[in-house]
Amino acid sequence: MATVSLPSIRPRTHHPFSLRHSSSFASSLTTKPQPRPTKFPPIRMSMEAGIGVMGTKLGMMTCFEPNGLVVPVTVVGFREGNIVTQVKTEATDGYNAVQLGYRRVRDRKLTKPEMGHLKKSGVIPLRHLQEFRLPEVGGFEPNQRLAVEEVFKEGDLVDVSGTTIGKGFQGCIRRHHFRRGPMSHGSHSRREPGSIGAGTTPGRVFPGKKMPGRMGGTKRKIRKLRIVKIDPELRIVMIKGAVPGKPGNLLRIAPAKIVGKNIPKN
């Protein structure tokens, strides 16, 4: 009977795909960790024309000017707050900004990180924190209180930002001011939006198509509103015109940006 000789099998010392014996893995252990970049990421926040304040919308009324003209105004009240909680500089944060806090609350209403951030500057517990990016922040320091009559005066133009009133899910007629169809008997297009696109070509609905959806509840800014009156005793400010939101909403009041006056043309 003929014998068959089997080839000699060399014992495998390691897995061919083992990272421990690969040259790239070994070189990664000997290389030193790369230092973290010192350059700050780009800031995508617009520059303000000046420091502003935060307030609470109280409602609307009519006001008589000295010349007898009646103007509609929005009354804005100010609770305890508008305190500087942090001053950011280019050396520490990569940009210059002043962080303000508004509306005092109880300690249990804030989280521990929020309380630690405020205690670092020795500031009372505040609900709302917002930043105002400025070219220079030399005249501000933590725990500094800003009074409205010191920041603005009557006749100034301001930009007011707030959250609009939420309307819920609405149709095209209320949301986009579509015109309805005939309401007579037999009509099949009374309040319907109509066609939203072709069938086979392109076979899809183009992005941005005006259709039913959620309406309101978004951030809006009304620009260049005039301050009619400031009452330091009542701590209110009367601003001509309407501002976003319902009574009780938070408002952000900042100096109006006017190109060539407080904003460079370039």
Side-chain angles (χ1 to χ4, degrees):
M1 183 175 180
T3 60
V4 179
S5 60
L6 298 176
S8 59
I9 301 176
R10 184 179 180 182
R12 180 176 294 176
T13 57
H14 64 275
H15 195 273
F17 299 103
S18 176
L19 293 177
R20 184 180 57 173
H21 300 276
S22 62
S23 59
S24 60
F25 180 76
S27 60
S28 63
L29 296 179
T30 57
T31 57
K32 297 182 180 180
Q34 297 293 333
R36 296 183 61 184
T38 56
K39 184 179 179 181
F40 293 96
I43 305 301
R44 302 185 181 276
M45 182 172 58
S46 61
M47 190 80 66
E48 297 287 350
I51 190 65
V53 294
M54 287 180 282
T56 304
K57 181 177 179 178
L58 301 181
M60 293 194 67
M61 59 176 292
T62 55
C63 179
F64 288 88
E65 292 188 344
N67 56 1
L69 184 65
V70 179
V71 295
V73 296
T74 300
V75 183
V76 181
F78 298 92
R79 301 185 180 182
E80 186 176 1
N82 287 319
I83 304 175
V84 178
T85 57
Q86 185 181 5
V87 179
K88 296 187 176 183
T89 60
E90 294 184 357
T92 57
D93 301 276
Y95 65 101
N96 296 327
V98 177
Q99 186 185 86
L100 297 183
Y102 178 72
R103 188 183 170 187
R104 182 171 186 175
V105 293
R106 298 179 182 178
D107 297 356
R108 61 185 181 88
K109 295 291 185 179
L110 301 179
T111 62
K112 288 185 177 180
E114 292 172 342
M115 287 296 300
H117 173 69
L118 296 175
K119 286 183 178 179
K120 186 177 180 180
S121 301
V123 184
I124 59 177
L126 299 171
R127 165 65 69 185
H128 306 287
L129 298 178
Q130 290 195 13
E131 288 187 3
F132 293 85
R133 188 181 177 188
L134 304 173
E136 297 292 338
V137 293
F140 301 95
E141 57 184 8
N143 208 5
Q144 176 184 352
R145 294 178 179 267
L146 301 180
V148 183
E149 57 273 12
E150 298 176 358
V151 179
F152 300 108
K153 62 180 182 297
E154 296 181 1
D156 289 350
L157 299 180
V158 293
D159 294 342
V160 183
S161 305
T163 304
T164 59
I165 300 176
K167 305 293 184 180
F169 194 95
Q170 299 296 331
C172 292
I173 293 180
R174 186 175 184 184
R175 192 183 184 201
H176 300 295
H177 307 287
F178 281 16
R179 290 183 295 180
R180 63 172 177 84
M183 301 296 289
S184 58
H185 180 70
S187 174
H188 297 283
S189 58
R190 295 179 177 177
R191 296 182 67 92
E192 288 78 5
S195 175
I196 60 174
T200 305
T201 304
R204 63 188 180 92
V205 179
F206 289 108
K209 181 67 177 178
K210 294 182 179 180
M211 299 180 69
R214 288 192 59 183
M215 178 181 176
T218 57
K219 184 179 179 180
R220 287 291 182 270
K221 178 187 289 187
I222 309 298
R223 302 186 64 246
K224 297 182 181 180
L225 299 179
R226 181 169 58 89
I227 295 180
V228 178
K229 186 177 181 180
I230 299 178
D231 195 332
E233 297 182 359
L234 299 178
R235 301 185 64 182
I236 62 172
V237 171
M238 296 183 182
I239 302 176
K240 183 179 179 180
V243 299
K246 59 183 179 180
N249 275 19
L250 176 70
L251 297 177
R252 174 190 173 107
I253 306 174
K257 297 181 181 180
I258 303 176
V259 178
K261 183 177 180 181
N262 50 21
I263 296 294
K265 294 183 179 181
N266 55 356

